[in-house]
Amino acid sequence: MRVLILGGTTEASTLVKGLDPRIDATLSLAGRTSAPKREPVPTRIGGFGGPEGLAAWIAENRIEAVIDATHPFAARIGRNAALACERTGVALLAIRRPAWERRQGDRWTEVETMVEAALALGETPRRVFLTIGRLEVGAFATAPQHDYVVRAIEPIGDALPVPRLTEIAARGPFDEAAEAAFLAERRIEILVTKNSGGPATYGKIAAARALGLSVVIVRPPRKPAVDSVLDAEGALAWLRDRLDH
């Protein structure tokens, strides 16, 4: 069975490692990092050209099933996959990890967008840790009074033109102990992050709770209503069921 996996997440990595030998899979990555992690299946990099381009690629490559294992905040590719699979009549399954839920001791301010997140920092200068990826840091240029620490896989270049900026290149996951040490060492006062769910990046949330730090957390975007499972194991079971029937 020929399968297209839209990836870039830990779920996608787990999925490709557990595939049945009868599955001929292609992994697609958006190309947002210059040195993506190597995976044991053929991998394509870059976009498809909207839902029309994705539908054409699916048809041309005789794809029989698509797994959307993209990041919870990758809303555009999720919509494109739903439209393309509807047009081509190809089965689509999404892996939708649950968002984190507020626990006792969490000091969250929940917002819908990065623009709202920048406003939520307030007027008083603070030492802010941005862990939102490099593509959306520009929203915080509207709040230049703060002292920013940005951690990202790729350099952010001139995307955040503010007077006080510390840039740290690193790739997770990071556990709670490491995150707590980092937050303390960098004298962080407030954390800005996305509610991405899953265990891989939860360490910073747990560390902020333990240290009593405030967190501005962006809610995940709405995704299309398609068949979904919670994790890679669920997707593997779905694929096995299709193979056996």
Side-chain angles (χ1 to χ4, degrees):
M1 181 167 62
R2 298 175 67 86
V3 176
L4 172 64
I5 298 170
L6 306 172
T9 58
T10 54
E11 289 89 349
S13 183
T14 300
L15 177 60
V16 298
K17 289 178 174 64
L19 288 173
D20 187 292
R22 294 173 290 172
I23 290 178
D24 180 6
T26 298
L27 176 66
S28 177
L29 303 176
R32 292 182 175 179
T33 59
S34 59
K37 181 181 176 182
R38 290 184 178 274
E39 300 290 2
V41 296
T43 302
R44 69 176 302 281
I45 306 292
F48 291 91
E52 298 83 2
L54 178 54
W57 195 94
I58 287 170
E60 180 181 346
N61 289 275
R62 305 189 307 280
I63 297 298
E64 298 166 74
V66 175
I67 305 288
D68 176 7
T70 55
H71 192 274
F73 280 75
R76 181 180 299 175
I77 186 60
R79 291 192 297 268
N80 290 352
L83 289 170
C85 287
E86 182 179 5
R87 293 177 185 179
T88 56
V90 169
L92 169 65
L93 182 76
I95 299 178
R96 300 273 173 82
R97 71 173 82 136
W100 299 317
E101 295 184 359
R102 187 193 300 261
R103 299 185 186 179
Q104 184 175 0
D106 283 329
R107 300 174 59 192
W108 288 6
T109 298
E110 295 183 83
V111 297
E112 300 293 335
T113 67
M114 288 299 165
V115 172
E116 292 180 14
L119 289 172
L121 295 176
E123 293 297 327
T124 302
R126 309 171 82 177
R127 191 158 174 82
V128 181
F129 178 32
L130 297 182
T131 171
I132 57 174
R134 64 185 173 88
L135 297 180
E136 295 180 274
V137 297
F140 295 85
T142 60
Q145 71 273 25
H146 302 296
D147 189 348
Y148 291 100
V149 176
V150 177
R151 185 174 69 196
I153 296 173
E154 300 281 342
I156 67 169
D158 58 358
L160 182 54
V162 292
R164 292 172 301 281
L165 172 65
T166 301
E167 188 175 349
I168 297 167
R171 186 192 297 268
F174 309 96
D175 62 24
E176 179 181 350
E179 293 290 58
F182 177 88
L183 293 171
E185 178 187 354
R186 297 285 174 173
R187 297 176 286 107
I188 301 300
E189 297 175 83
I190 187 167
L191 164 69
V192 181
T193 191
K194 298 175 178 178
N195 192 335
S196 301
T201 59
Y202 188 73
K204 61 195 171 191
I205 300 296
R209 183 193 309 124
L211 294 171
L213 299 182
S214 297
V215 178
V216 177
I217 189 163
V218 183
R219 295 186 182 98
R222 291 175 180 263
K223 293 288 191 77
V226 301
D227 290 342
S228 63
V229 293
L230 297 177
D231 51 30
E233 288 71 23
L236 289 169
W238 184 83
L239 287 170
R240 285 194 297 269
D241 184 66
R242 296 188 69 83
L243 281 169
D244 295 338
H245 293 86

